[in-house]
């Protein structure tokens, strides 16, 4: 399959974007996919969480605001099939610089173009910051699809309605007419509370099949893993949450392959006229 770009996004903070990015990337890599994890967040939590050192100038920044080759920023991790473009605090500057630039929404798309053409990665996963600023908008334009984590908490639906508005804008403006949600990941599910179940039911009612079948449980060891610079697969190989992320990655892969295997790769444009096309699962 060609390189598929998936952005992990939700402007709500602390919903599990970075945890999902790290663990889905690690699982996909272990499942044999060649994965490039791109850290687009100035907090750079995905970078340290996978055990990669941050370094000044080592991020997408120079490729976004200048002509630096994005491929020069790719770092191999100690895990087979998994490479990273690190984040750095300087990315904050991109929020200020980008709006002043020509074609400002397409800078990441342009930078990723040569990476896609090289066909050395199957999946590019982008960890977005918790905002809808220029960096996130660039990810929405560069991505084939969005993976939206939702925390099993009150106000869970607030985050996603904003994401949907932006998707509509990005499609309608022609900046990325085929952008869609590939899946909603329900995170930090706590089986002991009724609230978690209520939120899960509510989100499923609204979004039906778009929600991944796998729900990620709340797990202390999942939260500890990043401080050891390790994905859950390595830090807590037998953990329930680790297994959940592994299954979720499989679900994602299945959906990505369905897009690739669509007859003659013809995109049914009517599907994109609905606010949220449902990914049919065979
Ligand atoms: N399933 C889980 N169980 C327990 N803790 C979790 C789980 N998922 C995430 N966390 C913890 O919740 C916090 C927020 O998660 P994370 O950093 O992944 O969210 P985020 O959406 O990337 O946040 P931000 O918006 O700041 O980028 C972190 O401390 C993380 O370790
Ligand atoms: Mg994050």
């Amino acid at each position: 399959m060609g390189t598929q770009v998936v952005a992990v996004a939700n402007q709500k903070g602390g919903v599990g974007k970075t945890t999902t990015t790290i663990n889905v990337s690690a699982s996909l890599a272990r499942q044999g996919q060649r994965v490039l994890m791109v850290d687009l967040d100035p907090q750079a939590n995905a970078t340290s969480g996978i055990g990669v050192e941050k370094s000044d100038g080592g991020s997408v920044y120079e490729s976004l605001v200048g002509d630096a080759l994005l491929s020069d920023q790719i770092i191999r991790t100690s895990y087979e099939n998994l490479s990273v473009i690190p984040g750095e605090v300087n990315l904050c500057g991109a929020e200020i610089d980008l709006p002043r630039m020509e074609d400002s929404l397409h800078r990441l798309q342009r930078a990723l173009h040569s990476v896609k053409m090289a066909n050395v990665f199957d999946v590019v996963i982008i960890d977005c910051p918790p905002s809808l600023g220029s960096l996130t908008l660039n990810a929405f334009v560069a991505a084939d699809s969005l993976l939206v984590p939702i925390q099993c908490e009150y106000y869970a639906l607030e985050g996603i309605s904003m994401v949907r508005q932006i998707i509509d804008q990005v499609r309608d403006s022609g900046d990325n007419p085929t952008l869609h949600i590939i899946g909603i990941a329900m995170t930090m599910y706590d089986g002991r509370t009724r609230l978690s179940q209520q939120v899960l039911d509510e989100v499923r009612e609204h979004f039906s099949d778009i929600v991944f079948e796998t729900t990620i449980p709340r797990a202390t060891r999942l939260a500890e893993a990043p401080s050891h610079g390790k994905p859950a697969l390595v830090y807590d190989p037998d953990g329930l949450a680790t297994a959940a992320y592994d299954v979720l990655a499989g679900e994602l892969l299945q959906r990505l392959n369905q897009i690739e295997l669509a007859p003659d790769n013809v995109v049914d444009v009517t599907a994109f006229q609905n606010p949220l096309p449902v990914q049919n699962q065979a």
Side-chain angles (χ1 to χ4, degrees):
M1 79 179 182
T3 308
Q4 292 268 344
V5 181
V6 178
V8 180
N10 186 338
Q11 85 286 353
K12 248 179 100 86
V15 297
K17 291 179 290 293
T18 300
T19 306
T20 300
T21 301
I22 292 172
N23 291 300
V24 166
S25 298
S27 277
L28 285 177
R30 205 178 61 173
Q31 291 172 29
Q33 299 297 304
R34 299 165 302 166
V35 178
L36 174 63
M37 186 184 92
V38 178
D39 193 346
L40 204 57
D41 189 346
Q43 299 176 99
N45 293 335
T47 303
S48 50
I50 205 89
V52 169
E53 292 268 332
K54 290 169 247 185
S55 68
D56 288 348
S59 76
V60 296
Y61 180 73
E62 298 296 335
S63 304
L64 287 182
V65 302
D67 291 325
L69 264 183
L70 194 55
S71 51
D72 289 342
Q73 305 292 2
I74 296 174
I75 293 178
R76 274 175 184 272
T77 67
S78 48
Y79 309 106
E80 199 178 353
N81 293 327
L82 181 57
S83 297
V84 171
I85 298 181
E88 60 170 330
V89 74
N90 282 350
L91 282 168
C92 287
E95 298 283 12
I96 300 152
D97 300 334
L98 280 170
R100 302 195 196 124
M101 302 189 68
E102 205 180 307
D103 227 5
S104 67
L105 292 181
H106 290 263
R107 306 295 301 187
L108 182 61
Q109 182 189 45
R110 195 179 298 177
L112 272 173
H113 183 73
S114 57
V115 174
K116 285 179 91 168
M117 287 301 109
N119 210 15
V120 288
F121 296 107
D122 299 305
V123 189
V124 176
I125 303 205
I126 305 173
D127 188 27
C128 294
S131 69
L132 290 170
S134 292
L135 286 168
T136 300
L137 284 176
N138 261 270
F140 276 45
V141 171
D144 296 297
S145 61
L146 303 179
L147 193 170
V148 182
I150 297 186
Q151 186 180 350
C152 294
E153 260 297 342
Y154 278 124
Y155 308 119
L157 288 169
E158 259 178 20
I160 187 130
S161 66
M162 190 80 94
V163 169
R164 290 175 73 178
Q165 273 179 32
I166 304 295
I167 291 177
D168 285 345
Q169 279 175 26
V170 168
R171 280 190 201 155
D172 294 347
S173 63
D175 286 312
N176 187 354
T178 57
L179 183 66
H180 61 282
I181 295 180
I182 188 108
I184 292 173
M186 300 304 297
T187 64
M188 300 183 232
Y189 179 85
D190 186 345
R192 295 166 306 179
T193 67
R194 276 167 53 85
L195 175 63
S196 268
Q197 189 59 46
Q198 280 166 1
V199 172
L200 187 59
D201 291 345
E202 191 182 17
V203 173
R204 281 201 198 283
E205 199 172 299
H206 269 77
F207 297 102
S208 60
D209 290 355
I210 297 174
V211 184
F212 287 115
E213 279 179 37
T214 317
T215 299
I216 308 299
R218 191 173 269 288
T220 309
R221 290 184 64 79
L222 198 59
E224 285 169 5
S227 62
H228 298 266
K230 291 174 179 164
L233 271 178
V234 176
Y235 182 71
D236 188 24
D238 300 322
L240 276 181
T242 308
Y245 266 120
D246 209 36
V247 177
L248 187 92
E251 276 193 68
L252 171 65
L253 189 57
Q254 198 183 359
R255 293 182 185 196
L256 291 173
N257 280 329
Q258 268 166 13
I259 294 171
E260 279 293 307
L261 298 174
D264 301 326
N265 275 340
V266 171
V267 176
D268 177 9
V269 286
T270 59
F272 296 109
Q273 284 158 6
N274 299 320
L276 270 174
V278 174
Q279 305 293 322
N280 294 316
Q281 277 201 276

